[in-house]
Amino acid sequence: MSTHRSRKKIREAKRKARPELSTGDLWVQKDFANKFNLEYKVDDTLERITVQDVSPQDFIDRYEAPYKPVVIQGVQDTWGARFKWTLERLAKKYRNQKFKCGEDDEGYSVKLKMKYYMEYLKSTDDDSPLYIFDSGYGTHSRRKKLLADYDLPEYFRDDLFKYCKEDKRPPYRWIVIGPPRSGTGIHIDPLGTSAWNALISGHKRWCFFPTDTPKELLTVKSSEGGKQRDEAITWFNVVYPKTQKDDWPTKYKPVECIQQPGETIFVPGGMWHVVLNLDTTIAVTHNYASKTNFPIVWHKTVRGRPKLSKKWYRALRRHQPDLADVADKVDVSSSSGQASDSSSDSSSSSSSDESESEDSGQESVSNMKKKKY
């Protein structure tokens, strides 16, 4: 049951996270809760594999090395999260714990207690609702218990940024909870890292595009999207229909997928993607640097996070000298061959002294502040 205090806390979070939506009417201006078809029939062509049938080396050869997305089944079979991560249990266990659901204009986290967010999630008609996308749970005294509820999938246990100190490395793991219509606008993941996204419950709609797809084809113009141009639902409303027309370049046709509960998606570095929650979803996602994607991640880290790259190199020279040798051979003066967004986002930018370039590895679209799937 809604209380005056909870409504106040929710209003404050919305105001901080999306100040451009200065009145309640602007949050529901498009009436997507009634007008957007979340049951649209998707041509799901993304390949599916079962973890028991594909060895780690086969996975590298067939998917990771060629940068090919894939859905993996069976990853979550032994996870406690399958039954512990329900709305009811999370709301009870973490009731008074704060989770990040956005960022303000200065880049500071906007947080809500779980009890307030759950009330919002169950009742919101917002066009593009607030979305828990919290990277701090792993080092928090109470929330870190979430780590015990899942295991790193065997394909993704390389974690080369672990050689940086925990408080210096880029954010890399998130618990993700959101209602229908929430999601992530079109983007490329930071610093050339690849990612995996394990969906515990609900359904997510994905579109993937090749790394060389022209950015201007994929982005929503302000004249088309207004104050909600960066939102996933705006992208699906404005850009997606264009991708289905005959004049859309064949080489840039999207690969589409509806992620089912229990499925884990591999997102190759450099690949444009956009994600929309079709119902209430709970997921966990990690970004990672592995031996396979290391040359490109190194290239983008040197270009986008030079101070971090120096510390990382010293650690690799101590712990993984063979990779430090690889780093020495990467020509960072030329293009990595993989696209980047040109403006910084919270997943990759942490200090004002880092340089930025067309190939910096600092990812977002139109100053998008939140990486959220």
Side-chain angles (χ1 to χ4, degrees), residues 159-165 311-312 315-316 318-320:
D159 177 24
L160 299 180
F161 275 122
K162 71 184 178 185
Y163 297 111
C164 301
K165 291 181 179 179
K311 294 172 183 174
W312 194 22
L316 289 173
R318 284 196 305 273
H319 301 289
Q320 294 272 3

Side-chain angles (χ1 to χ4, degrees), residues 79-82 84-85 93-94 145-151:
W79 287 11
R82 289 189 310 149
K84 290 184 177 181
W85 289 14
K93 186 170 184 178
Y94 299 101
K145 293 176 182 176
L146 291 162
L147 291 173
D149 297 337
Y150 68 94
D151 302 307

Side-chain angles (χ1 to χ4, degrees), residues 352-368:
S352 59
D353 59 304
E354 309 295 7
S355 66
E356 222 181 86
S357 74
E358 283 305 304
D359 202 10
S360 69
Q362 301 202 4
E363 330 298 326
S364 74
V365 167
S366 184
N367 206 25
M368 183 165 62

Side-chain angles (χ1 to χ4, degrees), residues 343-355:
S343 53
S344 65
D345 89 24
S346 59
S347 297
S348 59
S349 62
S350 66
S351 59
S352 59
D353 59 304
E354 309 295 7
S355 66

Side-chain angles (χ1 to χ4, degrees), residues 26-290:
L26 290 174
W27 282 82
V28 295
Q29 187 176 38
K30 300 291 187 181
D31 195 23
F32 283 146
N34 294 306
K35 294 181 178 177
F36 187 89
N37 181 16
L38 292 170
E39 298 178 0
Y40 175 85
K41 179 65 176 174
V42 169
D43 183 19
D44 186 337
T45 59
L46 193 57
E47 183 181 355
R48 282 169 164 80
I49 61 172
T50 302
V51 70
Q52 292 84 357
D53 297 337
V54 179
S55 71
Q57 187 58 52
D58 283 344
F59 184 84
I60 292 172
D61 295 340
R62 291 165 56 182
Y63 306 104
E64 191 180 18
Y67 285 78
K68 182 181 178 184
V70 67
V71 177
I72 310 161
Q73 298 170 332
V75 165
Q76 304 172 36
D77 287 355
T78 60
W79 287 11
R82 289 189 310 149
F83 56 89
K84 290 184 177 181
W85 289 14
T86 64
L87 291 181
E88 294 72 25
R89 292 184 72 160
L90 291 173
K92 184 177 180 181
K93 186 170 184 178
Y94 299 101
R95 175 177 173 79
N96 286 307
Q97 300 305 308
K98 291 182 178 180
F99 288 79
K100 180 178 176 179
C101 59
E103 287 184 358
D104 66 17
D105 281 349
E106 274 70 54
Y108 292 103
S109 294
V110 176
K111 296 181 179 181
L112 268 176
K113 286 185 177 180
M114 182 65 82
K115 62 182 178 182
Y116 298 139
Y117 183 78
M118 287 297 181
E119 190 171 304
Y120 169 76
L121 174 148
K122 292 174 181 178
S123 62
T124 182
D125 287 327
D126 290 345
D127 290 333
S128 182
L130 292 178
Y131 189 18
I132 283 182
F133 206 96
D134 188 280
S135 64
Y137 68 95
T139 54
H140 186 271
S141 59
R142 293 191 179 181
R143 288 180 289 142
K144 69 181 180 183
K145 293 176 182 176
L146 291 162
L147 291 173
D149 297 337
Y150 68 94
D151 302 307
L152 290 179
E154 61 178 318
Y155 303 143
F156 310 122
R157 289 180 182 162
D158 257 3
D159 177 24
L160 299 180
F161 275 122
K162 71 184 178 185
Y163 297 111
C164 301
K165 291 181 179 179
E166 185 70 23
D167 61 343
K168 299 297 184 185
R169 64 179 297 175
Y172 66 102
R173 58 189 175 197
W174 296 264
I175 181 171
V176 191
I177 304 171
R181 302 180 307 283
S182 60
T184 309
I186 191 78
H187 69 288
I188 294 173
D189 282 353
L191 300 176
T193 56
S194 299
W196 56 268
N197 182 299
L199 183 59
I200 308 300
S201 60
H203 301 78
K204 291 178 182 283
R205 181 180 174 186
W206 295 69
C207 279
F208 296 90
F209 295 87
T211 190
D212 61 343
T213 306
K215 184 175 178 178
E216 58 271 19
L217 272 185
L218 297 177
T219 50
V220 179
K221 299 178 179 66
S222 57
S223 60
E224 299 172 312
K227 294 179 178 180
Q228 304 235 42
R229 63 176 294 195
D230 294 334
E231 304 304 303
I233 197 165
T234 304
W235 187 94
F236 276 102
N237 191 54
V238 173
V239 178
Y240 178 79
K242 299 177 186 177
T243 72
Q244 302 305 295
K245 292 181 178 178
D246 292 340
D247 60 352
W248 185 268
T250 302
K251 65 184 289 190
Y252 302 134
K253 280 283 187 183
V255 173
E256 300 185 59
C257 170
I258 300 292
Q259 186 182 15
Q260 304 289 328
E263 292 186 331
T264 300
I265 288 186
F266 165 62
V267 185
M271 183 162 255
W272 292 99
H273 55 288
V274 55
V275 193
L276 183 70
N277 292 316
L278 301 180
D279 45 18
T280 297
T281 65
I282 301 173
V284 59
T285 182
H286 282 218
N287 282 56
Y288 70 94
S290 68

